Amino acid sequence: MRQPAITLEQVLAITYFSGHAWAPDGSRIAYILDDGGRYSLRVVDVRTARSVEVSDGDAPVTALDWGRDGGLAYVQGGRLIVAAQADEVWRRAEFYAGPDPVTALQWSPADGRLAYVTGGRLWVWDPEGPSVRDLTVPGRVAGLDHQATLTWAPDGSVIAVTFEEEQRWDLAVVDPAGGVRWRSRTESLEGPFTWLRPDRMLFARPSVGYTVREWCVLDLPAGTVRMLHREDEPEGLGAAYEAQAHPDGRRALL
């Protein structure tokens, strides 16, 4: 009998990588490893190519983010865990394990605050307090079409989030101290979005049918939105990728 070119066992042995992220100092890369359906968090040293598993157990790791001090926050089995390396050993601390799974997280780029989403609500943990604050968002916080759910401004002053209200998806900018600084109110969708600088945010505004997409910039202090570019394709637009901001904060790649 002719042997198959590849066996089922060989297919199941194939590993996949996702969620790659550089450490702030560029010395390591964190990633999620899919090894036969087991999703674990790994960190590889770029100088030695040595890879270690940070997570523990078989529950799947679904999200991760580096803190500016080199710590890792990640979601495993819906739980929020914070890990730090000491003497080449990763030590884990379970931060949240409530009834609702954590669906998104991101460290502030300016300090040690950590924003996360659970139960459709946005929370910020401030280690300086220490305190945990439930931020005011007009609706249920959730991602849209696998896009980012939340993003801190570059200086950590505000957070942009997507949310659902009355079967409509909108975008809001909220203050970690409490309160909504700006929100959209359109029948279109909003996203993906990118901060150009602390007072400017670039975002896409596709129609529900994805035949028209407007790229807009928010002037946060003024609370005004200006359209920069419009795409119109009656047969349907392709996916919109997150714009890449230029370091000068004035230009971006769409």
Side-chain angles (χ1 to χ4, degrees):
M1 180 181 294
R2 186 176 182 180
Q3 294 296 318
I6 186 170
T7 66
L8 177 60
E9 290 75 16
Q10 289 172 321
V11 172
L12 295 176
I14 298 173
T15 58
Y16 301 89
F17 305 87
S18 62
H20 312 76
W22 285 95
D25 64 0
S27 66
R28 295 162 295 173
I29 301 172
Y31 61 96
I32 297 173
L33 173 67
D34 174 4
D35 187 357
R38 182 177 183 268
Y39 294 83
S40 60
L41 172 61
R42 306 275 178 137
V43 170
V44 60
D45 188 306
V46 299
R47 294 160 297 189
T48 65
R50 179 174 177 266
S51 178
V52 297
E53 181 174 349
V54 176
S55 57
D56 180 49
D58 294 329
V61 174
T62 55
L64 66 97
D65 192 41
W66 286 100
R68 70 172 191 168
D69 63 352
L72 268 172
Y74 64 97
V75 179
Q76 183 174 20
R79 299 172 295 128
L80 177 56
I81 300 169
V82 177
Q85 190 176 28
D87 300 325
E88 298 189 0
V89 176
W90 283 93
R91 305 187 186 280
R92 300 173 297 273
E94 188 173 87
F95 180 78
Y96 171 88
D100 297 311
V102 174
T103 56
L105 77 164
Q106 190 181 67
W107 291 102
S108 166
D111 48 44
R113 290 174 297 170
L114 177 64
Y116 62 97
V117 176
T118 179
R121 297 161 71 179
L122 177 63
W123 301 80
V124 170
W125 170 57
D126 185 351
E128 294 298 323
S131 64
V132 177
R133 179 187 291 270
D134 181 5
L135 302 190
T136 300
V137 180
R140 183 181 66 87
V141 179
L144 177 64
D145 294 339
H146 307 290
Q147 297 172 13
T149 303
L150 66 100
T151 303
W152 288 86
D155 64 351
S157 59
V158 290
I159 306 171
V161 294
T162 52
F163 65 95
E164 182 185 17
E165 181 188 36
E166 298 177 351
Q167 298 183 330
R168 186 181 67 205
W169 290 91
D170 280 321
L171 177 62
V173 176
V174 298
D175 191 323
V180 178
R181 293 276 302 276
W182 173 87
R183 61 159 294 178
S184 63
R185 293 180 184 274
T186 73
E187 296 302 319
S188 298
L189 308 170
E190 262 82 25
F193 49 93
T194 302
W195 287 100
L196 300 176
R197 54 182 196 257
D199 62 345
R200 296 287 188 277
M201 182 173 64
L202 178 67
F203 65 95
R205 180 175 278 169
S207 62
V208 175
Y210 281 93
T211 58
V212 174
R213 179 164 50 229
E214 298 174 345
W215 286 95
C216 305
V217 63
L218 166 68
D219 181 328
L220 185 59
T224 57
V225 173
R226 178 167 57 96
M227 186 179 71
L228 300 178
H229 178 65
R230 177 185 171 93
E231 301 172 82
D232 193 340
E233 179 51 67
E235 299 300 320
L237 293 162
Y241 297 95
E242 182 179 323
Q244 299 297 309
H246 190 278
D248 66 8
R250 295 178 178 275
R251 294 171 286 175
L253 293 174
L254 303 182

Short mmCIF file of all heavy atoms in Angstrom, two decimals, residues 189-251:
data_model
loop_
_atom_site.label_atom_id
_atom_site.label_comp_id
_atom_site.label_asym_id
_atom_site.label_seq_id
_atom_site.Cartn_x
_atom_site.Cartn_y
_atom_site.Cartn_z
N LEU A 189 -19.39 51.73 11.53
CA LEU A 189 -18.53 51.09 12.51
C LEU A 189 -17.32 51.99 12.74
O LEU A 189 -17.04 52.89 11.95
CB LEU A 189 -18.09 49.72 12.01
CG LEU A 189 -19.22 48.79 11.55
CD1 LEU A 189 -18.66 47.57 10.85
CD2 LEU A 189 -20.10 48.37 12.72
N GLU A 190 -16.58 51.77 13.79
CA GLU A 190 -15.37 52.54 14.05
C GLU A 190 -14.21 51.58 14.36
O GLU A 190 -14.31 50.78 15.30
CB GLU A 190 -15.56 53.52 15.21
CG GLU A 190 -15.88 54.93 14.80
CD GLU A 190 -17.37 55.14 14.49
OE1 GLU A 190 -18.19 54.38 15.01
OE2 GLU A 190 -17.68 56.08 13.75
N GLY A 191 -13.15 51.67 13.58
CA GLY A 191 -11.97 50.84 13.82
C GLY A 191 -11.42 50.29 12.53
O GLY A 191 -12.14 50.22 11.53
N PRO A 192 -10.14 49.96 12.54
CA PRO A 192 -9.19 50.03 13.66
C PRO A 192 -8.76 51.47 13.96
O PRO A 192 -9.00 52.36 13.16
CB PRO A 192 -8.00 49.20 13.15
CG PRO A 192 -8.07 49.34 11.66
CD PRO A 192 -9.52 49.41 11.32
N PHE A 193 -8.11 51.66 15.10
CA PHE A 193 -7.71 53.00 15.52
C PHE A 193 -6.27 53.00 16.01
O PHE A 193 -5.77 52.01 16.53
CB PHE A 193 -8.65 53.53 16.62
CG PHE A 193 -8.87 52.58 17.76
CD1 PHE A 193 -8.10 52.64 18.90
CD2 PHE A 193 -9.88 51.63 17.69
CE1 PHE A 193 -8.30 51.77 19.95
CE2 PHE A 193 -10.10 50.75 18.75
CZ PHE A 193 -9.31 50.81 19.89
N THR A 194 -5.61 54.15 15.83
CA THR A 194 -4.19 54.30 16.17
C THR A 194 -3.94 55.70 16.71
O THR A 194 -4.41 56.68 16.13
CB THR A 194 -3.32 54.10 14.92
OG1 THR A 194 -3.56 52.82 14.35
CG2 THR A 194 -1.84 54.23 15.26
N TRP A 195 -3.22 55.79 17.81
CA TRP A 195 -2.83 57.10 18.33
C TRP A 195 -1.64 57.63 17.53
O TRP A 195 -0.62 56.94 17.40
CB TRP A 195 -2.46 57.02 19.81
CG TRP A 195 -3.64 56.82 20.71
CD1 TRP A 195 -4.07 55.64 21.26
CD2 TRP A 195 -4.56 57.83 21.15
NE1 TRP A 195 -5.19 55.85 22.01
CE2 TRP A 195 -5.52 57.19 21.97
CE3 TRP A 195 -4.66 59.20 20.93
CZ2 TRP A 195 -6.56 57.88 22.57
CZ3 TRP A 195 -5.70 59.89 21.52
CH2 TRP A 195 -6.64 59.24 22.34
N LEU A 196 -1.77 58.84 17.00
CA LEU A 196 -0.65 59.51 16.35
C LEU A 196 0.23 60.19 17.38
O LEU A 196 1.45 60.19 17.29
CB LEU A 196 -1.16 60.53 15.34
CG LEU A 196 -2.04 59.98 14.20
CD1 LEU A 196 -2.56 61.12 13.34
CD2 LEU A 196 -1.25 58.97 13.37
N ARG A 197 -0.41 60.81 18.35
CA ARG A 197 0.23 61.42 19.50
C ARG A 197 -0.85 61.59 20.57
O ARG A 197 -2.01 61.25 20.32
CB ARG A 197 0.88 62.76 19.12
CG ARG A 197 0.00 63.79 18.44
CD ARG A 197 0.84 65.01 18.09
NE ARG A 197 0.02 66.17 17.80
CZ ARG A 197 -0.22 66.63 16.57
NH1 ARG A 197 0.31 66.00 15.52
NH2 ARG A 197 -0.94 67.72 16.38
N PRO A 198 -0.54 62.05 21.77
CA PRO A 198 -1.54 62.05 22.85
C PRO A 198 -2.82 62.80 22.56
O PRO A 198 -3.85 62.50 23.17
CB PRO A 198 -0.77 62.70 24.02
CG PRO A 198 0.65 62.35 23.77
CD PRO A 198 0.81 62.42 22.28
N ASP A 199 -2.80 63.77 21.64
CA ASP A 199 -4.01 64.55 21.36
C ASP A 199 -4.61 64.27 19.98
O ASP A 199 -5.56 64.95 19.56
CB ASP A 199 -3.72 66.04 21.48
CG ASP A 199 -2.67 66.52 20.47
OD1 ASP A 199 -1.99 65.65 19.89
OD2 ASP A 199 -2.55 67.74 20.27
N ARG A 200 -4.08 63.28 19.25
CA ARG A 200 -4.58 62.96 17.91
C ARG A 200 -4.72 61.45 17.75
O ARG A 200 -3.79 60.71 18.06
CB ARG A 200 -3.63 63.48 16.82
CG ARG A 200 -3.48 64.99 16.75
CD ARG A 200 -4.72 65.66 16.18
NE ARG A 200 -4.48 67.08 15.94
CZ ARG A 200 -4.57 68.02 16.87
NH1 ARG A 200 -4.87 67.68 18.11
NH2 ARG A 200 -4.35 69.29 16.56
N MET A 201 -5.88 61.03 17.25
CA MET A 201 -6.10 59.61 17.00
C MET A 201 -6.65 59.43 15.59
O MET A 201 -7.56 60.14 15.16
CB MET A 201 -7.09 59.02 18.00
CG MET A 201 -7.31 57.52 17.81
SD MET A 201 -8.32 56.78 19.13
CE MET A 201 -9.89 57.64 18.91
N LEU A 202 -6.08 58.47 14.87
CA LEU A 202 -6.51 58.14 13.51
C LEU A 202 -7.35 56.87 13.57
O LEU A 202 -6.96 55.91 14.23
CB LEU A 202 -5.29 57.93 12.63
CG LEU A 202 -5.53 57.52 11.17
CD1 LEU A 202 -6.20 58.63 10.40
CD2 LEU A 202 -4.20 57.13 10.52
N PHE A 203 -8.50 56.88 12.92
CA PHE A 203 -9.33 55.68 12.93
C PHE A 203 -10.10 55.54 11.62
O PHE A 203 -10.32 56.51 10.89
CB PHE A 203 -10.31 55.70 14.12
CG PHE A 203 -11.34 56.79 14.08
CD1 PHE A 203 -12.60 56.56 13.55
CD2 PHE A 203 -11.06 58.04 14.60
CE1 PHE A 203 -13.56 57.56 13.53
CE2 PHE A 203 -12.02 59.05 14.59
CZ PHE A 203 -13.27 58.81 14.04
N ALA A 204 -10.47 54.30 11.32
CA ALA A 204 -11.26 54.00 10.14
C ALA A 204 -12.74 54.01 10.51
O ALA A 204 -13.11 53.65 11.64
CB ALA A 204 -10.88 52.64 9.56
N ARG A 205 -13.56 54.41 9.54
CA ARG A 205 -15.01 54.43 9.76
C ARG A 205 -15.68 53.74 8.56
O ARG A 205 -16.11 54.39 7.60
CB ARG A 205 -15.50 55.87 9.92
CG ARG A 205 -16.99 56.01 10.14
CD ARG A 205 -17.36 57.46 10.43
NE ARG A 205 -17.14 57.80 11.82
CZ ARG A 205 -17.18 59.04 12.31
NH1 ARG A 205 -17.38 60.05 11.50
NH2 ARG A 205 -16.99 59.25 13.60
N PRO A 206 -15.74 52.40 8.56
CA PRO A 206 -16.37 51.69 7.44
C PRO A 206 -17.89 51.67 7.58
O PRO A 206 -18.42 51.69 8.69
CB PRO A 206 -15.78 50.28 7.55
CG PRO A 206 -15.52 50.12 9.02
CD PRO A 206 -15.13 51.48 9.53
N SER A 207 -18.56 51.63 6.45
CA SER A 207 -20.01 51.45 6.49
C SER A 207 -20.31 50.03 6.93
O SER A 207 -19.46 49.13 6.86
CB SER A 207 -20.61 51.72 5.10
OG SER A 207 -20.10 50.79 4.15
N VAL A 208 -21.53 49.79 7.37
CA VAL A 208 -21.91 48.47 7.87
C VAL A 208 -21.73 47.42 6.78
O VAL A 208 -21.33 46.28 7.04
CB VAL A 208 -23.36 48.48 8.39
CG1 VAL A 208 -23.80 47.08 8.79
CG2 VAL A 208 -23.48 49.43 9.59
N GLY A 209 -21.98 47.77 5.54
CA GLY A 209 -21.84 46.83 4.44
C GLY A 209 -20.43 46.73 3.88
O GLY A 209 -20.18 45.97 2.94
N TYR A 210 -19.49 47.49 4.45
CA TYR A 210 -18.09 47.49 4.04
C TYR A 210 -17.92 47.82 2.55
O TYR A 210 -17.10 47.25 1.86
CB TYR A 210 -17.41 46.15 4.35
CG TYR A 210 -17.03 46.02 5.81
CD1 TYR A 210 -17.88 45.40 6.72
CD2 TYR A 210 -15.82 46.51 6.28
CE1 TYR A 210 -17.54 45.29 8.06
CE2 TYR A 210 -15.46 46.39 7.62
CZ TYR A 210 -16.34 45.78 8.51
OH TYR A 210 -16.01 45.68 9.84
N THR A 211 -18.70 48.78 2.07
CA THR A 211 -18.52 49.27 0.70
C THR A 211 -17.87 50.65 0.70
O THR A 211 -17.35 51.08 -0.33
CB THR A 211 -19.87 49.34 -0.04
OG1 THR A 211 -20.76 50.20 0.69
CG2 THR A 211 -20.49 47.95 -0.17
N VAL A 212 -17.93 51.35 1.82
CA VAL A 212 -17.31 52.67 1.96
C VAL A 212 -16.52 52.69 3.26
O VAL A 212 -16.97 52.16 4.29
CB VAL A 212 -18.37 53.79 1.98
CG1 VAL A 212 -17.71 55.14 2.28
CG2 VAL A 212 -19.13 53.84 0.67
N ARG A 213 -15.32 53.27 3.21
CA ARG A 213 -14.52 53.42 4.42
C ARG A 213 -13.88 54.80 4.43
O ARG A 213 -13.23 55.19 3.47
CB ARG A 213 -13.45 52.33 4.51
CG ARG A 213 -12.57 52.46 5.76
CD ARG A 213 -11.78 51.18 6.04
NE ARG A 213 -11.08 50.69 4.89
CZ ARG A 213 -11.10 49.41 4.46
NH1 ARG A 213 -11.83 48.53 5.10
NH2 ARG A 213 -10.42 49.05 3.40
N GLU A 214 -14.10 55.52 5.51
CA GLU A 214 -13.49 56.82 5.70
C GLU A 214 -12.39 56.72 6.75
O GLU A 214 -12.57 56.08 7.79
CB GLU A 214 -14.53 57.84 6.16
CG GLU A 214 -15.66 58.07 5.16
CD GLU A 214 -16.75 58.96 5.71
OE1 GLU A 214 -16.79 59.18 6.95
OE2 GLU A 214 -17.59 59.44 4.91
N TRP A 215 -11.25 57.34 6.47
CA TRP A 215 -10.18 57.43 7.44
C TRP A 215 -10.25 58.83 8.06
O TRP A 215 -10.18 59.83 7.36
CB TRP A 215 -8.83 57.19 6.80
CG TRP A 215 -8.61 55.75 6.45
CD1 TRP A 215 -8.83 55.14 5.26
CD2 TRP A 215 -8.13 54.73 7.33
NE1 TRP A 215 -8.54 53.81 5.32
CE2 TRP A 215 -8.09 53.52 6.58
CE3 TRP A 215 -7.72 54.71 8.66
CZ2 TRP A 215 -7.67 52.32 7.14
CZ3 TRP A 215 -7.28 53.50 9.21
CH2 TRP A 215 -7.26 52.33 8.45
N CYS A 216 -10.41 58.86 9.37
CA CYS A 216 -10.66 60.12 10.07
C CYS A 216 -9.62 60.35 11.16
O CYS A 216 -9.02 59.40 11.68
CB CYS A 216 -12.05 60.11 10.72
SG CYS A 216 -13.41 59.76 9.57
N VAL A 217 -9.41 61.61 11.51
CA VAL A 217 -8.51 61.95 12.61
C VAL A 217 -9.29 62.73 13.65
O VAL A 217 -10.06 63.64 13.33
CB VAL A 217 -7.29 62.75 12.11
CG1 VAL A 217 -7.69 64.10 11.52
CG2 VAL A 217 -6.28 62.93 13.24
N LEU A 218 -9.14 62.33 14.90
CA LEU A 218 -9.79 63.00 16.02
C LEU A 218 -8.83 64.00 16.64
O LEU A 218 -7.69 63.65 17.00
CB LEU A 218 -10.21 61.97 17.07
CG LEU A 218 -10.59 62.52 18.45
CD1 LEU A 218 -11.89 63.32 18.37
CD2 LEU A 218 -10.70 61.39 19.48
N ASP A 219 -9.26 65.24 16.76
CA ASP A 219 -8.55 66.26 17.53
C ASP A 219 -9.18 66.22 18.92
O ASP A 219 -10.27 66.76 19.13
CB ASP A 219 -8.73 67.63 16.88
CG ASP A 219 -7.99 68.74 17.62
OD1 ASP A 219 -7.87 68.65 18.85
OD2 ASP A 219 -7.56 69.70 16.97
N LEU A 220 -8.53 65.55 19.86
CA LEU A 220 -9.16 65.32 21.16
C LEU A 220 -9.44 66.60 21.94
O LEU A 220 -10.54 66.76 22.47
CB LEU A 220 -8.29 64.36 21.98
CG LEU A 220 -8.87 63.93 23.33
CD1 LEU A 220 -10.21 63.24 23.15
CD2 LEU A 220 -7.89 63.02 24.06
N PRO A 221 -8.50 67.56 22.04
CA PRO A 221 -8.81 68.78 22.81
C PRO A 221 -10.02 69.54 22.25
O PRO A 221 -10.82 70.07 23.02
CB PRO A 221 -7.52 69.62 22.68
CG PRO A 221 -6.45 68.61 22.45
CD PRO A 221 -7.08 67.55 21.60
N ALA A 222 -10.13 69.57 20.92
CA ALA A 222 -11.26 70.28 20.31
C ALA A 222 -12.51 69.41 20.23
O ALA A 222 -13.62 69.93 20.05
CB ALA A 222 -10.87 70.77 18.92
N GLY A 223 -12.35 68.10 20.30
CA GLY A 223 -13.49 67.21 20.18
C GLY A 223 -14.04 67.13 18.77
O GLY A 223 -15.22 66.80 18.57
N THR A 224 -13.20 67.40 17.77
CA THR A 224 -13.65 67.42 16.38
C THR A 224 -13.02 66.28 15.59
O THR A 224 -11.93 65.82 15.89
CB THR A 224 -13.30 68.75 15.70
OG1 THR A 224 -11.88 68.96 15.78
CG2 THR A 224 -14.01 69.90 16.39
N VAL A 225 -13.74 65.84 14.55
CA VAL A 225 -13.27 64.76 13.67
C VAL A 225 -13.20 65.28 12.25
O VAL A 225 -14.14 65.92 11.76
CB VAL A 225 -14.22 63.55 13.75
CG1 VAL A 225 -13.83 62.49 12.72
CG2 VAL A 225 -14.22 62.95 15.15
N ARG A 226 -12.09 65.01 11.57
CA ARG A 226 -11.90 65.45 10.18
C ARG A 226 -11.59 64.23 9.32
O ARG A 226 -10.75 63.41 9.67
CB ARG A 226 -10.76 66.46 10.11
CG ARG A 226 -10.43 66.96 8.71
CD ARG A 226 -9.52 68.18 8.79
NE ARG A 226 -8.29 67.91 9.52
CZ ARG A 226 -7.14 67.58 8.93
NH1 ARG A 226 -7.07 67.47 7.60
NH2 ARG A 226 -6.05 67.37 9.65
N MET A 227 -12.29 64.12 8.19
CA MET A 227 -12.04 63.01 7.29
C MET A 227 -10.81 63.31 6.44
O MET A 227 -10.70 64.38 5.83
CB MET A 227 -13.24 62.76 6.38
CG MET A 227 -13.08 61.50 5.52
SD MET A 227 -14.50 61.18 4.46
CE MET A 227 -14.33 62.51 3.25
N LEU A 228 -9.88 62.35 6.37
CA LEU A 228 -8.66 62.51 5.60
C LEU A 228 -8.72 61.81 4.25
O LEU A 228 -8.17 62.28 3.26
CB LEU A 228 -7.47 61.96 6.38
CG LEU A 228 -7.17 62.59 7.74
CD1 LEU A 228 -5.98 61.88 8.37
CD2 LEU A 228 -6.91 64.07 7.59
N HIS A 229 -9.38 60.66 4.20
CA HIS A 229 -9.38 59.85 2.98
C HIS A 229 -10.64 58.99 2.95
O HIS A 229 -11.10 58.53 3.99
CB HIS A 229 -8.13 58.96 2.94
CG HIS A 229 -8.05 58.06 1.76
ND1 HIS A 229 -7.94 58.53 0.47
CD2 HIS A 229 -8.08 56.70 1.66
CE1 HIS A 229 -7.89 57.49 -0.37
NE2 HIS A 229 -7.97 56.38 0.34
N ARG A 230 -11.17 58.80 1.73
CA ARG A 230 -12.39 58.01 1.57
C ARG A 230 -12.18 56.93 0.52
O ARG A 230 -11.68 57.19 -0.56
CB ARG A 230 -13.57 58.91 1.16
CG ARG A 230 -14.88 58.16 0.88
CD ARG A 230 -15.93 59.14 0.36
NE ARG A 230 -17.13 58.47 -0.11
CZ ARG A 230 -18.21 58.24 0.63
NH1 ARG A 230 -18.22 58.65 1.88
NH2 ARG A 230 -19.26 57.62 0.14
N GLU A 231 -12.54 55.70 0.88
CA GLU A 231 -12.50 54.57 -0.05
C GLU A 231 -13.94 54.18 -0.38
O GLU A 231 -14.77 54.05 0.51
CB GLU A 231 -11.79 53.37 0.59
CG GLU A 231 -10.36 53.65 1.00
CD GLU A 231 -9.79 52.49 1.79
OE1 GLU A 231 -9.33 51.51 1.17
OE2 GLU A 231 -9.83 52.57 3.04
N ASP A 232 -14.22 53.99 -1.67
CA ASP A 232 -15.58 53.65 -2.10
C ASP A 232 -15.47 52.49 -3.09
O ASP A 232 -14.94 52.64 -4.18
CB ASP A 232 -16.24 54.87 -2.75
CG ASP A 232 -17.73 54.67 -2.94
OD1 ASP A 232 -18.19 53.51 -2.94
OD2 ASP A 232 -18.44 55.68 -3.09
N GLU A 233 -15.99 51.33 -2.70
CA GLU A 233 -15.93 50.14 -3.54
C GLU A 233 -17.26 49.40 -3.46
O GLU A 233 -17.53 48.69 -2.49
CB GLU A 233 -14.79 49.22 -3.09
CG GLU A 233 -14.66 47.95 -3.90
CD GLU A 233 -14.62 48.20 -5.38
OE1 GLU A 233 -13.62 48.78 -5.85
OE2 GLU A 233 -15.61 47.84 -6.06
N PRO A 234 -18.13 49.58 -4.48
CA PRO A 234 -19.46 48.95 -4.44
C PRO A 234 -19.42 47.43 -4.29
O PRO A 234 -20.36 46.83 -3.73
CB PRO A 234 -20.08 49.35 -5.78
CG PRO A 234 -19.35 50.60 -6.17
CD PRO A 234 -17.95 50.42 -5.67
N GLU A 235 -18.34 46.79 -4.76
CA GLU A 235 -18.25 45.33 -4.67
C GLU A 235 -17.77 44.87 -3.29
O GLU A 235 -17.74 43.67 -3.02
CB GLU A 235 -17.29 44.81 -5.75
CG GLU A 235 -17.72 45.12 -7.17
CD GLU A 235 -19.08 44.51 -7.48
OE1 GLU A 235 -19.34 43.37 -7.05
OE2 GLU A 235 -19.89 45.18 -8.16
N GLY A 236 -17.40 45.81 -2.45
CA GLY A 236 -16.96 45.44 -1.11
C GLY A 236 -15.48 45.69 -0.89
O GLY A 236 -14.65 45.39 -1.75
N LEU A 237 -15.14 46.28 0.24
CA LEU A 237 -13.76 46.57 0.60
C LEU A 237 -13.10 45.38 1.27
O LEU A 237 -13.76 44.53 1.87
CB LEU A 237 -13.71 47.76 1.56
CG LEU A 237 -14.16 49.11 0.98
CD1 LEU A 237 -14.49 50.06 2.12
CD2 LEU A 237 -13.06 49.70 0.11
N GLY A 238 -11.79 45.34 1.19
CA GLY A 238 -11.04 44.32 1.93
C GLY A 238 -10.90 44.74 3.38
O GLY A 238 -11.41 45.78 3.81
N ALA A 239 -10.19 43.95 4.14
CA ALA A 239 -9.99 44.24 5.55
C ALA A 239 -9.15 45.50 5.73
O ALA A 239 -8.28 45.80 4.91
CB ALA A 239 -9.31 43.07 6.25
N ALA A 240 -9.42 46.25 6.79
CA ALA A 240 -8.62 47.42 7.12
C ALA A 240 -7.63 47.03 8.21
O ALA A 240 -8.00 46.44 9.22
CB ALA A 240 -9.52 48.55 7.62
N TYR A 241 -6.36 47.34 7.98
CA TYR A 241 -5.34 47.04 8.96
C TYR A 241 -5.03 48.29 9.77
O TYR A 241 -5.20 49.42 9.31
CB TYR A 241 -4.08 46.51 8.27
CG TYR A 241 -4.32 45.21 7.54
CD1 TYR A 241 -4.61 45.21 6.18
CD2 TYR A 241 -4.29 44.00 8.21
CE1 TYR A 241 -4.85 44.03 5.50
CE2 TYR A 241 -4.53 42.81 7.56
CZ TYR A 241 -4.80 42.83 6.19
OH TYR A 241 -5.04 41.65 5.54
N GLU A 242 -4.58 48.07 10.98
CA GLU A 242 -4.26 49.20 11.85
C GLU A 242 -3.19 50.07 11.20
O GLU A 242 -2.17 49.57 10.74
CB GLU A 242 -3.76 48.68 13.20
CG GLU A 242 -3.44 49.77 14.19
CD GLU A 242 -2.97 49.21 15.51
OE1 GLU A 242 -3.51 48.17 15.94
OE2 GLU A 242 -2.05 49.80 16.11
N ALA A 243 -3.46 51.37 11.16
CA ALA A 243 -2.50 52.29 10.56
C ALA A 243 -1.22 52.33 11.39
O ALA A 243 -1.25 52.12 12.61
CB ALA A 243 -3.11 53.68 10.47
N GLN A 244 -0.10 52.59 10.74
CA GLN A 244 1.17 52.68 11.43
C GLN A 244 1.58 54.15 11.53
O GLN A 244 1.81 54.80 10.51
CB GLN A 244 2.25 51.89 10.67
CG GLN A 244 1.93 50.41 10.54
CD GLN A 244 1.87 49.72 11.89
OE1 GLN A 244 2.78 49.85 12.70
NE2 GLN A 244 0.79 48.99 12.13
N ALA A 245 1.63 54.67 12.74
CA ALA A 245 1.94 56.07 12.95
C ALA A 245 3.42 56.34 12.76
O ALA A 245 4.27 55.55 13.18
CB ALA A 245 1.50 56.51 14.34
N HIS A 246 3.75 57.47 12.12
CA HIS A 246 5.14 57.92 11.99
C HIS A 246 5.58 58.50 13.33
O HIS A 246 4.76 59.07 14.07
CB HIS A 246 5.23 58.98 10.90
CG HIS A 246 6.63 59.35 10.51
ND1 HIS A 246 7.38 60.25 11.23
CD2 HIS A 246 7.42 58.93 9.49
CE1 HIS A 246 8.56 60.37 10.67
NE2 HIS A 246 8.62 59.58 9.62
N PRO A 247 6.85 58.37 13.69
CA PRO A 247 7.31 58.92 14.96
C PRO A 247 7.05 60.42 15.14
O PRO A 247 6.98 60.90 16.28
CB PRO A 247 8.83 58.62 14.94
CG PRO A 247 8.95 57.40 14.11
CD PRO A 247 7.90 57.57 13.03
N ASP A 248 6.91 61.15 14.03
CA ASP A 248 6.67 62.59 14.17
C ASP A 248 5.24 62.91 14.58
O ASP A 248 4.91 64.06 14.88
CB ASP A 248 7.05 63.36 12.91
CG ASP A 248 6.16 63.00 11.71
OD1 ASP A 248 5.16 62.28 11.86
OD2 ASP A 248 6.48 63.46 10.59
N GLY A 249 4.34 61.91 14.61
CA GLY A 249 2.96 62.12 15.02
C GLY A 249 2.11 62.88 14.04
O GLY A 249 0.98 63.24 14.32
N ARG A 250 2.65 63.10 12.81
CA ARG A 250 1.91 63.87 11.82
C ARG A 250 1.54 63.04 10.60
O ARG A 250 0.69 63.44 9.81
CB ARG A 250 2.76 65.06 11.34
CG ARG A 250 3.03 66.08 12.44
CD ARG A 250 3.90 67.21 11.94
NE ARG A 250 4.13 68.21 12.97
CZ ARG A 250 3.31 69.20 13.24
NH1 ARG A 250 2.20 69.36 12.54
NH2 ARG A 250 3.59 70.07 14.19
N ARG A 251 2.17 61.89 10.44
CA ARG A 251 1.91 61.05 9.27
C ARG A 251 1.65 59.61 9.71
O ARG A 251 1.96 59.23 10.84
CB ARG A 251 3.09 61.10 8.31
CG ARG A 251 3.33 62.45 7.69
CD ARG A 251 4.65 62.49 6.93
NE ARG A 251 5.78 62.56 7.85
CZ ARG A 251 7.05 62.52 7.45
NH1 ARG A 251 7.33 62.38 6.17
NH2 ARG A 251 8.02 62.59 8.34
#
